[in-house]
Amino acid sequence: MKILLNSGPWLPVPPPGYGGIENVVATLIPELRSRGVRVVLASVGTSTIEVDELISVYDDGQFPHLQKPYNQVMGIAHAHQARVAEELRRRDDIDLVHDHLEVVGPGVLAALDGPPVLHTLHWDLRKHAAFYDSFPNKIAVNGVSHSQLARAPEALRRSALGAVHLATPLAGTGLRVERGEHLIVMGRVCGLKGQHIAARICQKLGLPLTLAGPVSGLSTPAELESVAEDPSHPLFGHPDVRYQLDHVSPYLDGERATWIGSVGGEERDRLYASARAALFPIQWDEPGGTAVVEALALGVPPIGLRRGCLPEIIDHGRTGFLADTEEELAEWILRADEIDPDECRREAARRFSPAVMAEQYLELYERAIRRSPVAAR
């Protein structure tokens, strides 16, 4: 089988740090290729993952432009997808397109008389309601959790082949470091992730807290401080920046409670693995929960609010804790040591390894090919 895997123009594969979709793609590709699948990757020129072919429009990721007004950036995704369409029109050896580009991907691919398409939904489906309400039925989709698909518009559910949970290369690796006392929230800093709730709870409990992740693309405290001191800066009024400055920073003292910015690689994994627990006080119905899966793989008990995909990933009382209120969340945090780290690791290896994800996608690829109009001809 030869597939065109469309990652989009935003970040290279793998990304240098933050980059949820690109990390998923980077996890999936080696597993597919080890099973004989040939991969044509549509990404940016700085992607370093080993593939059979790489096609791109942009030399480097266009993620920084996402913060600009729509009329300045709307051509970026379309230029990338036009290149994908050109590739599909000029060749006949692609068996399937596995698409990860929000809206623009299926919108363009549905207009082509090309190979079958499986489009993975990585995001909040409340967005783009008009598009999803009339989703093109020639495009097959999969969710990243069952709860995400349960909330999807009817037209989208009709195109769904099922859900594939996100995986992490950390599953089964056996990384072990000495457990510390700090709690951690790992991920992009924004109101939906609820870092202010974690900070408030830890302040009340007198527990150390580390927040790690970018704020509107800002990766260090120095970068954020530069924006905060300049009201003319384009990011000064950005919702994520205002959230960090107005709702999170008041709880941070630089000692027991800190925001360290983005971390990557081995530094990130060791910081995560040494945490007493990982907190997920999410304020939305999280669709995929990559950070939850990573916590399990590192033997770090995840403790979060009972929303979105978390009840699918966390087995309450065995691999973590789920709460319905902020007060209950605080109570479970104090019981984090009751969770067996090895049980968390075993669960991650069983359910969230790259091999498990790849096998599930191979099954969906076959189903997408069988249901496509191309196969019917």
Side-chain angles (χ1 to χ4, degrees):
M1 182 185 293
K2 180 181 283 187
I3 69 168
L4 189 152
L5 203 159
N6 183 26
S7 179
W10 307 118
L11 290 166
V13 179
Y18 174 80
I21 293 173
E22 292 78 12
N23 276 317
V24 172
V25 170
T27 300
L28 178 61
I29 287 175
E31 294 291 333
L32 292 177
R33 298 186 77 231
S34 73
R35 288 161 174 77
V37 177
R38 290 168 292 168
V39 177
V40 179
L41 174 64
S43 180
V44 296
T46 49
S47 292
T48 57
I49 194 165
E50 187 173 343
V51 291
D52 295 275
E53 299 177 55
L54 172 67
I55 63 173
S56 63
V57 172
Y58 302 99
D59 291 335
D60 204 352
Q62 301 298 296
F63 185 78
H65 296 289
L66 280 176
Q67 310 303 333
K68 297 178 180 178
Y70 175 72
N71 63 358
Q72 296 180 25
V73 302
M74 60 183 178
I76 293 176
H78 288 84
H80 172 90
Q81 198 66 10
R83 176 68 180 86
V84 171
E86 175 191 358
E87 192 74 12
L88 294 174
R89 279 192 292 263
R90 75 171 185 84
R91 61 195 295 174
D92 60 4
D93 62 335
I94 301 296
D95 297 301
L96 176 130
V97 178
H98 188 182
D99 183 70
H100 298 261
L101 184 56
E102 186 173 4
V103 174
V104 175
V108 172
L109 292 168
L112 299 178
D113 187 19
V117 177
L118 176 68
H119 175 70
T120 296
L121 302 159
H122 289 275
W123 32 80
D124 182 358
L125 301 182
R126 294 175 300 179
K127 298 190 295 179
H128 322 302
F131 179 77
Y132 289 137
D133 282 341
S134 57
F135 193 80
N137 59 17
K138 69 180 288 187
I139 303 289
V141 304
N142 76 276
V144 291
S145 68
H146 298 287
S147 64
Q148 179 199 37
L149 289 180
R151 298 187 301 274
E154 182 179 350
L156 201 55
R157 290 201 303 272
R158 285 198 298 266
S159 295
L161 301 184
V164 177
H165 287 123
L166 303 176
T168 172
L170 297 170
T173 60
L175 174 64
R176 295 170 184 265
V177 299
E178 185 176 351
R179 180 70 59 85
E181 289 299 318
H182 68 281
L183 304 163
I184 193 164
V185 180
M186 183 72 72
R188 181 170 69 93
V189 178
C190 66
L192 295 177
K193 301 293 187 180
Q195 281 91 350
H196 70 291
I197 293 177
R200 183 164 62 218
I201 290 175
C202 288
Q203 184 185 75
K204 290 180 180 177
L205 297 178
L207 297 175
L209 174 69
T210 300
L211 306 178
V215 177
S216 187
L218 303 170
S219 298
T220 67
E223 290 177 3
L224 179 65
E225 184 179 356
S226 178
V227 171
E229 293 175 348
D230 181 8
S232 67
H233 194 285
L235 292 179
F236 182 83
H238 190 279
D240 292 355
V241 172
R242 298 319 318 166
Y243 169 70
Q244 168 74 3
L245 295 177
D246 300 337
H247 299 285
V248 179
S249 293
Y251 292 105
L252 307 181
D253 59 13
E255 295 181 3
R256 290 185 67 80
T258 60
W259 172 64
I260 62 172
S262 293
V263 291
E266 184 177 344
E267 178 188 4
R268 173 193 174 280
D269 296 344
R270 290 188 172 278
L271 172 69
Y272 214 178
S274 62
R276 180 180 178 186
L279 306 185
F280 300 93
I282 55 174
Q283 300 299 288
W284 69 318
D285 293 320
E286 179 87 44
T290 306
V292 186
V293 170
E294 290 173 337
L296 288 171
L298 292 169
V300 180
I303 303 175
L305 291 175
R306 196 188 307 271
R307 296 193 63 171
C309 67
L310 265 63
E312 292 179 40
I313 298 175
I314 300 171
D315 186 351
H316 178 72
R318 183 174 71 89
T319 62
F321 292 119
L322 296 166
D324 294 306
T325 65
E326 182 176 331
E327 292 72 24
E328 191 177 340
L329 189 64
E331 294 173 7
W332 290 124
I333 288 172
L334 294 175
R335 298 177 59 178
D337 294 340
E338 297 178 16
I339 300 299
D340 180 3
D342 286 332
E343 187 68 10
C344 295
R345 296 185 184 96
R346 285 191 290 268
E347 184 78 346
R350 183 178 70 86
R351 297 180 58 200
F352 307 117
S353 71
V356 169
M357 182 173 69
E359 291 293 341
Q360 291 174 340
Y361 270 120
L362 284 172
E363 180 182 343
L364 293 193
Y365 292 169
E366 297 287 356
R367 290 175 59 191
I369 290 171
R370 289 197 300 268
R371 77 180 285 278
S372 73
V374 174
R377 289 204 293 265

